[in-house]
Amino acid sequence: MTALERLAATVASRKGADPDTSWTAKLLAKGPEKCAEKFGEEAVEAIIEAVKGDRAKLTSEAADVLYHLLVMLAARDVTLAEVLAELERREGTSGIEEKAKR
């Protein structure tokens, strides 16, 4: 199991947990919209660090983005396994070709 899979399992285990004892539970208790908002905030912070060129800060912000993506997905009952399956389905397909199919 990868670190990302372990994190996804931890996030899933926090659904319904006490928001006073878990940051993840607190985010999930605020609903999918708040989880999406937090994901967006973290994505913007990662973009800023990418533009600045600070590798260490970008790495840290990218980790935050992945965490908040998993929280947002959990808020809508989408699993990491489902996302990975979609990536596998797309594997070997040109991005141009894939977009044309939409």
Side-chain angles (χ1 to χ4, degrees), residues 35-45 47 68 72:
C35 294
E37 180 185 322
K38 285 298 293 174
F39 170 73
E41 289 172 11
E42 295 300 333
V44 169
E45 290 174 11
I47 291 166
H68 283 89
M72 181 178 66

Side-chain angles (χ1 to χ4, degrees), residues 75-92:
R76 288 293 187 196
D77 297 318
V78 176
T79 67
L80 177 60
E82 291 172 295
V83 175
L84 293 175
E86 176 62 13
L87 287 172
E88 287 176 6
R89 184 190 69 76
R90 294 180 185 187
E91 194 170 2

